[in-house]
Amino acid sequence: MPSTPPQSERPRRRAFDWPTAILIVIVVSAASYVLWRDGFARFLDVVIADADLFAWMLPNLLAGCLIAALITVLLPRDTIVRWVGKDSGLKGILIAAGAGVIVPGGPFTIYPIAAAFVGMGADAAAVVALITSWTTIGLSRALVWEMPFLGFDFVLWRWIGALPLAVLAGLIVRIIEQQLRPGSKP
């Protein structure tokens, strides 16, 4: 029976780690301070407002995670590795930057998609290019918000200035990764 190729070398994350512990300490400290400074009524108002925000965010986050899960099912892993993997070179960064331009949605969509790509073997440089182009260019934001308010000329000039940023960010990450790899020459 033929052996299956090894999965991505991405280490598994634990559910509770140092960043989580630090965040919990900050939240408990802030909550204690509000309780001490403003009293229980204000503390309860803040907790209720935060619960409302959480209730609003949860369906959006679940939808983003569902989209990311479907991407992992619909796109073959070897295709992702070939297009935007460690050996994809400048082509992978350009593909990822182009994908970031057209991906719609907000952070609830892009970050689960980026995490899915990393889990499927995408290079960190390509994922940085994806997120950077989504942040700086974003076709859906340009069509809905920028063009009606600022006009096509402004959007065109902004895109001309912003597109190299995503590619540059990906190239910088690629160079740093190559310097940090064992066996690479400085």
Side-chain angles (χ1 to χ4, degrees):
M1 184 152 100
S3 64
T4 59
Q7 296 290 327
S8 172
E9 297 177 17
R10 181 178 179 208
R12 292 195 59 83
R13 290 189 58 200
R14 296 185 315 205
F16 189 82
D17 52 8
W18 280 109
T20 305
I22 291 169
L23 186 61
I24 288 171
V25 168
I26 291 170
V27 167
V28 169
S29 299
S32 299
Y33 180 70
V34 168
L35 182 62
W36 171 77
R37 186 187 69 188
D38 298 335
F40 185 75
R42 178 67 181 139
F43 173 80
L44 193 58
D45 288 343
V46 170
V47 169
I48 290 171
D50 287 349
D52 287 343
L53 179 62
F54 179 76
W56 176 82
M57 287 174 50
L58 188 60
N60 295 310
L61 187 58
L62 290 175
C65 290
L66 178 62
I67 290 168
L70 290 173
I71 285 173
T72 63
V73 172
L74 295 174
L75 293 175
R77 179 181 296 268
D78 59 331
T79 302
I80 296 297
V81 170
R82 185 174 65 248
W83 284 357
V84 292
K86 290 192 185 319
D87 297 326
S88 63
L90 178 62
K91 174 192 76 162
I93 292 173
L94 291 172
I95 290 171
V101 171
I102 62 172
V103 171
F108 299 113
T109 307
I110 192 69
Y111 292 110
I113 289 172
F117 281 158
V118 169
M120 294 173 67
D123 185 27
V127 175
V128 166
L130 173 88
I131 293 172
T132 303
S133 67
W134 170 81
T135 303
T136 58
I137 300 169
L139 179 63
S140 61
R141 277 190 311 275
L143 292 175
V144 173
W145 295 105
E146 290 179 11
M147 280 191 198
F149 285 103
L150 301 169
F152 178 76
D153 291 346
F154 176 85
V155 173
L156 180 64
W157 284 116
R158 193 182 65 74
W159 277 24
I160 289 170
L163 188 57
L165 297 176
V167 176
L168 183 62
L171 288 173
I172 290 170
V173 170
R174 176 79 42 85
I175 290 167
I176 292 170
E177 274 190 323
Q178 288 173 350
Q179 297 299 316
L180 295 177
R181 278 193 197 133
S184 67
K185 295 180 182 176

